[in-house]
Amino acid sequence: MNLGEKLLNLRKTKNLTQDDVAEKLNVTRQTVSKWETNQSTPDFDKILPLCELYGISPTELLAGEKEEQETANNETSKSTIDILIKKLNPS
């Protein structure tokens, strides 16, 4: 599933309209539509608000992976940045 499909599914799961999302993120409805149809991607400063709105982590949104449970040291075994770098830059 690509990012646009994921954003569309998340929005529908939360029973929100594109107008609702646009208002909460201070963007236009057309911007939300472009995200959901993969014509553009959300700006970096919209990633965290999107995640908060949909109740997911940045890793889950961008990499499609749920973060692992926290360890006894209160740290995750994989950092969000490491996962994203691997997804965006496969070597």
Side-chain angles (χ1 to χ4, degrees), residues 21-89:
V21 174
E23 183 177 325
K24 291 177 188 298
L25 298 178
N26 199 27
V27 297
T28 65
R29 185 205 53 78
Q30 291 83 354
T31 296
V32 175
S33 176
K34 287 180 180 182
W35 294 344
E36 292 179 355
T37 57
N38 290 304
Q39 294 176 24
S40 69
T41 56
D43 290 338
F44 186 75
D45 66 333
K46 298 301 180 191
I47 298 298
L48 287 178
L50 274 167
C51 291
E52 290 172 5
L53 178 63
Y54 295 138
I56 62 172
S57 70
T59 301
E60 189 174 352
L61 177 64
L62 299 174
E65 299 175 8
K66 290 189 178 191
E67 290 185 4
E68 297 180 12
Q69 292 292 329
E70 292 186 15
T71 63
N73 293 337
N74 202 26
E75 296 177 3
T76 56
S77 61
K78 290 183 177 179
S79 74
T80 300
I81 294 171
D82 289 341
I83 292 170
L84 295 175
I85 289 172
K86 287 178 185 175
K87 288 285 184 179
L88 297 173
N89 246 345

